[in-house]
Amino acid sequence: QVQLKESGPGLVQPSQTLSLTCTVSGFSLTSYNVHWVRQPPGKGLEWMGVIWSGGNTDYNSALKPRLSISRDTSKSQVFLTMNSLQTEDTGIYYCNRNQNWGQGVMVTVSS
Amino acid sequence: DIQMTQSPPSLSASLGDKVTITCQASQNINKYIAWYQQKPGKAPRQLIRYTSTLVSGTPSRFSGSGSGRDYSFSISNVESEDIASYYCLQYDNLFTFGSGTKLEIK
């Protein structure tokens, strides 16, 4: 069945770079788009970006200067990289494909 | 970028009530709006896509309507399991979530 699972460091220092991995199973990344969505504690959902099945990417314009999404189709993995992290980047980060979501990974930005 | 204005931020309803949430887009989104439910500690779950199409498994007490810039989402006969936050998402031009509505039971 379709599964997505996020992984990455739980704690990142301010001004540093966040690297997250979304490992998928049950489908091919060349056939489906994968999105990243985040949620600060107690707040709403924010769409971050997408890697389309063809490999192109689109980003939330507010995050575009410091966000990058890529993939390794052979490993069924999608990567999120975001630099210059600040405390307001703290939250749960999800990857998703259509109605399927990962469990989310909590990222805390703190020194 | 398309902005989505969702209201109200919170709702308090009695069991059996009908509640309605609205989202207004900053431009015509051609019915490309979905609605999500999120329970505490869980990932969001899509309930409705393309304005009014129920996703498989969505109870029929959920419904959506609208066109152009204005859309609504309703729950008829609210049940205790409906306690959650609800979000709209436009996907006509990239993607934008509304700010969310928290549903509580009186």
Side-chain angles (χ1 to χ4, degrees):
Chain A
Q1 74 274 29
V2 172
Q3 291 187 320
L4 302 93
K5 185 173 184 180
E6 306 88 349
S7 59
L11 181 65
V12 180
Q13 294 201 341
S15 80
Q16 297 302 301
T17 297
L18 172 67
S19 295
L20 297 177
T21 299
C22 174
T23 302
V24 310
S25 59
F27 68 97
S28 170
L29 292 176
T30 58
S31 297
Y32 289 90
N33 313 319
V34 173
H35 300 255
W36 287 95
V37 174
R38 70 176 180 175
Q39 185 169 37
K43 296 189 177 181
L45 301 168
E46 180 180 32
W47 178 78
M48 299 182 72
V50 58
I51 186 161
W52 302 100
S53 57
N56 290 338
T57 53
D58 276 303
Y59 302 107
N60 182 321
S61 61
L63 301 175
K64 190 172 183 177
R66 55 191 188 103
L67 179 62
S68 177
I69 299 174
S70 60
R71 70 184 185 185
D72 183 334
T73 56
S74 67
K75 295 183 177 180
S76 294
Q77 292 180 323
V78 176
F79 309 106
L80 177 148
T81 303
M82 190 162 68
N83 58 33
S84 305
L85 254 62
Q86 301 302 320
T87 54
E88 51 266 33
D89 295 312
T90 292
I92 299 174
Y93 287 70
Y94 297 98
C95 57
N96 108 286
R97 183 215 94 164
N98 293 345
Q99 283 95 40
N100 304 102
W101 293 69
Q103 65 199 21
V105 60
M106 180 67 199
V107 174
T108 301
V109 182
S110 174
S111 55
Chain B
D1 293 14
I2 296 177
Q3 308 302 316
M4 299 297 289
T5 302
Q6 183 172 344
S7 63
S10 63
L11 270 176
S12 183
S14 300
L15 298 177
D17 279 356
K18 179 178 181 178
V19 299
T20 298
I21 298 167
T22 63
C23 270
Q24 183 177 66
S26 57
Q27 64 189 63
N28 179 8
I29 56 171
N30 299 301
K31 295 192 170 187
Y32 289 107
I33 188 169
W35 293 91
Y36 289 80
Q37 176 191 66
Q38 187 182 32
K39 297 185 176 182
K42 300 292 187 181
R45 169 195 171 195
Q46 190 181 71
L47 299 177
I48 289 175
R49 61 179 174 84
Y50 195 58
T51 296
S52 58
T53 301
L54 269 59
V55 171
S56 176
T58 302
S60 59
R61 65 180 182 277
F62 294 94
S63 64
S65 64
S67 62
R69 295 175 56 206
D70 298 306
Y71 298 86
S72 63
F73 167 85
S74 295
I75 311 173
S76 59
N77 299 315
V78 166
E79 299 186 4
S80 57
E81 67 182 32
D82 300 333
I83 296 173
S85 292
Y86 294 86
Y87 297 89
C88 63
L89 171 76
Q90 73 80 18
Y91 56 102
D92 180 66
N93 186 336
L94 294 186
F95 305 83
T96 313
F97 283 101
S99 53
T101 297
K102 186 174 183 178
L103 175 62
E104 300 174 327
I105 304 298
K106 286 181 185 174

